[in-house]
Amino acid sequence: MEQIFALFTIFLAFAFSGRCSDDFSRSDFPEGFLFGAGTSAYQWEGAATEDGRKPSVWDTLCHSRNQDNGDITCDGYHKYKEDVKLMVDTNLDAFRFSISWSRLIPSKFSYLLQEPHPRISNPCKLTTGIEPHVTLYHYDHPQYLEDEYRGWLNRRMIKDFTAYADVCFREFGNHVKFWTTINEANVFSIGGYTDGLTPPGRCSIPGRNCVSGNSSIEQYIVGHNLLLAHASASRIYKQKYKGGFVGLSLYFLGLIPSTSSKDDYIATQRAKSFYTGWMLGSLIYGDYPDTMKRIVGSRLPVFSEEESEQVKGSSDFIGVIHYHATSVTNIKSKPSLSGNPDFYSDMGVSFHYFGKIFDFKYAVAPWAMEVVLEYIKQSYGNPPVYILENGIPMKQDSQLKQKDTPRVEYLHAYIGGVLKSIRSGSDTRGYFVWSFMDLYELIGGYEVGFGLYSVNFSDPHRKRSPRLSAHWYSDFLNGTTAFLGSQGITELQRNLSSSF
């Protein structure tokens, strides 16, 4: 039976692996459905040392490894008024951005902030009618917390994060209804504490540029503390502020078995348990998946009964971040590079991406989005979902700088996949393109761009220019375009050629 199900899954995946060619328009989505685009503070703001801002772990990682950084990036800190006008021109319903913890609270003694920081306050207000979706934490806790007690590895972080969240709720809550506590909580834990590739760059894998860490256990400790911090912030909001919604975002891969074998089917279920069930199961059911508890054993923290009750039901919505379609192959014994068990050897699978991930050539596979949304619906009781990131990067090739036809095709296909999922019963309530404009990317730096708008990073004024995708998205949101095919793209390019 399991093999039949696996074959059926693979058939469906490849049957729907082409571009979505159905006719649809903005009006086909439910009333109140939000369309938007996003950025994050470190990737967009710049002004790294202005107005008292102190370094975050993201600053420290970039500078210590002598790589591209967000010191200036888009200079959104100074150009936010111009950018808000572009949001209006693009017909966005909503804008997703994050608040810089180390800018708002530059020292451990500044939690009693009396006045909101003007350049954080103004985007939060967005008096243009655009709905702000605010992320409190996007990989960037203050370096002073890392130095003092190792940040998320210490339970003291739960109290400090809650105090920071309380300041944000208090100062900006009159203007913000949608709060995401932690961005990509699963990938932050894995990337920062197993791989060492993302802030704060801890690992024990040989050959990685990690000064310290323990890839066998730290990601599980951090994941546990993230969940407790999220639950604590959510509880504070519901007790003191109300009127809005608090959620957690996770990174989802569209996972299917590589073959019809029973082993690969079981491996896919195990990969889902580790990669997203790890935290999604805790939010919905108040505990980690049994598969994780059995394999990880004593390295996996345990929720007390009180903690379980606090975490369970603490998310009003699930933030979905999704880019890739991925097949899964079982590995009977996967040794870790360090010789000790780590997240990947615990999971015991091999991932095969559709397209080249690090060469930034993503496959257009809208069925993968449908797989993710169906999984959330079937396995976790169909909670409200906001797709907080979806998009495709492109090399900063001058010929593709503006006429980013592959991005238009990708967005059209994935938005169509979202609509199919909604029609199949998914409680998905919003979709945000990543990203509104080209940003500093942690993996890729300034060599690639996800933006609807290009940014000339060699220009001191950081000139923004609309790409073909910006015009297409604007027209779609305005209800003036629906069908997209080769003829439609040609017509769009012809109509907009005078803009470039």
Side-chain angles (χ1 to χ4, degrees):
M1 184 66 181
E2 290 174 338
Q3 287 180 307
I4 294 173
F5 178 79
L7 281 167
F8 181 68
T9 302
I10 295 170
F11 170 78
L12 284 179
F14 285 97
F16 290 103
S17 61
R19 292 170 173 79
C20 175
S21 59
D22 294 342
D23 288 355
F24 65 89
S25 69
R26 167 70 181 274
S27 62
D28 290 310
F29 285 81
E31 184 178 355
F33 189 92
L34 292 177
F35 280 101
T39 64
S40 83
Y42 186 74
Q43 296 174 272
W44 172 66
E45 284 184 356
T49 60
E50 289 190 34
D51 295 337
R53 182 188 182 275
K54 293 295 189 290
S56 72
V57 290
W58 206 334
D59 293 278
T60 301
L61 180 79
C62 294
H63 285 280
S64 66
R65 295 185 177 179
N66 196 29
Q67 63 189 52
D68 284 343
N69 59 66
D71 286 0
I72 302 174
T73 186
C74 307
D75 197 25
Y77 186 73
H78 298 108
K79 296 173 71 71
Y80 70 89
K81 291 182 181 179
E82 175 185 336
D83 291 344
V84 169
K85 184 179 183 304
L86 291 178
M87 296 171 209
V88 175
D89 293 343
T90 315
N91 297 309
L92 297 187
D93 298 328
F95 176 52
R96 181 192 177 222
F97 61 101
S98 71
I99 293 174
S100 170
W101 187 346
S102 57
R103 188 185 300 282
L104 187 68
I105 304 174
S107 77
K108 65 178 294 186
F109 302 107
S110 54
Y111 283 96
L112 297 178
L113 186 69
Q114 297 302 312
E115 296 293 336
H117 195 292
R119 293 215 174 92
I120 296 174
S121 178
N122 288 329
C124 282
K125 291 178 181 177
L126 285 175
T127 54
T128 55
I130 296 172
E131 187 79 60
H133 261 249
V134 174
T135 298
L136 293 173
Y137 181 76
H138 199 118
Y139 288 32
D140 57 350
H141 62 272
Q143 183 62 39
Y144 63 79
L145 297 179
E146 192 71 19
D147 295 339
E148 183 178 353
Y149 56 70
R150 297 194 305 167
W152 288 110
L153 284 166
N154 194 310
R155 288 177 70 97
R156 289 171 60 185
M157 192 67 158
I158 299 167
K159 181 178 179 181
D160 281 340
F161 178 77
T162 304
Y164 159 62
D166 195 11
V167 170
C168 293
F169 296 151
R170 185 186 76 210
E171 298 297 341
F172 312 126
N174 289 338
H175 307 287
V176 178
K177 289 198 308 182
F178 296 95
W179 300 92
T180 299
T181 53
I182 313 288
N183 179 71
E184 295 179 338
N186 52 344
V187 167
F188 171 74
S189 303
I190 300 164
Y193 298 86
T194 300
D195 295 328
L197 297 176
T198 59
R202 296 179 60 88
C203 72
S204 56
I205 297 176
R208 296 285 171 84
N209 192 13
C210 296
V211 176
S212 60
N214 183 344
S215 299
S216 183
I217 193 170
E218 286 189 358
Q219 66 276 358
Y220 299 122
I221 295 171
V222 168
H224 195 74
N225 290 338
L226 288 172
L227 287 166
L228 293 174
H230 158 78
S232 178
S234 177
R235 186 169 65 254
I236 284 286
Y237 185 82
K238 289 174 172 60
Q239 288 172 348
K240 295 177 62 175
Y241 302 100
K242 304 177 183 178
F245 308 93
V246 178
L248 182 85
S249 88
L250 299 171
Y251 192 101
F252 288 80
L253 295 167
L255 299 172
I256 62 167
S258 293
T259 72
S260 61
S261 72
K262 180 179 180 180
D263 283 348
D264 285 348
Y265 170 75
I266 294 172
T268 302
Q269 306 314 305
R270 187 170 65 250
K272 290 178 180 179
S273 292
F274 267 82
Y275 209 78
T276 49
W278 174 20
M279 295 184 180
L280 187 51
S282 301
L283 294 174
I284 302 300
Y285 302 120
D287 199 5
Y288 297 120
D290 289 340
T291 300
M292 285 193 75
K293 292 194 287 187
R294 175 176 55 81
I295 294 173
V296 182
S298 61
R299 289 179 291 126
L300 187 67
V302 176
F303 291 113
S304 69
E305 186 174 339
E306 181 183 4
E307 289 170 343
S308 177
E309 288 302 312
Q310 289 173 355
V311 172
K312 182 179 179 180
S314 60
S315 268
D316 298 318
F317 64 87
I318 303 301
V320 166
I321 298 189
H322 171 71
Y323 296 92
H324 310 306
T326 311
S327 64
V328 179
T329 301
N330 180 62
I331 297 179
K332 293 187 189 253
S333 177
K334 182 175 183 177
S336 67
L337 294 174
S338 67
N340 296 314
D342 60 27
F343 183 83
Y344 298 108
S345 63
D346 289 341
M347 189 163 48
V349 305
S350 176
F351 287 154
H352 307 277
Y353 297 101
F354 289 71
K356 298 179 180 180
I357 300 306
F358 292 106
D359 286 341
F360 302 100
K361 297 178 181 178
Y362 295 1
V364 179
W367 55 263
M369 179 72 84
E370 297 174 56
V371 165
V372 166
L373 297 177
E374 185 67 15
Y375 164 66
I376 295 172
K377 183 183 77 174
Q378 295 288 352
S379 300
Y380 298 99
N382 203 20
V385 165
Y386 287 89
I387 298 162
L388 295 179
E389 289 184 27
N390 179 242
I392 183 170
M394 296 177 65
K395 294 273 189 179
Q396 297 286 28
D397 185 317
S398 59
Q399 293 183 342
L400 297 174
K401 191 97 178 151
Q402 311 307 146
K403 297 186 179 180
D404 56 340
T405 301
R407 180 174 287 115
V408 175
E409 295 174 333
Y410 180 100
L411 295 177
H412 178 265
Y414 276 77
I415 292 172
V418 173
L419 180 58
K420 287 183 179 179
S421 296
I422 293 171
R423 287 171 169 170
S424 296
S426 171
D427 191 9
T428 301
R429 302 183 181 186
Y431 173 91
F432 291 74
V433 173
W434 186 267
S435 53
F436 183 61
M437 63 181 59
D438 289 345
L439 307 166
Y440 164 68
E441 295 292 340
L442 184 56
I443 298 177
Y446 296 106
E447 294 182 7
V448 298
F450 283 79
L452 298 172
Y453 289 81
S454 67
V455 177
N456 185 349
F457 292 108
S458 62
D459 177 2
H461 300 291
R462 298 302 196 265
K463 178 178 171 58
R464 286 89 156 107
S465 301
R467 289 195 168 102
L468 188 72
S469 56
H471 290 288
W472 177 81
Y473 197 46
S474 176
D475 286 349
F476 172 75
L477 297 185
N478 196 38
T480 56
T481 185
F483 178 70
L484 183 72
S486 58
Q487 182 177 353
I489 290 178
T490 301
E491 183 178 350
L492 181 63
Q493 290 175 334
R494 187 186 311 117
N495 292 342
L496 300 173
S497 59
S498 61
S499 301
F500 303 121

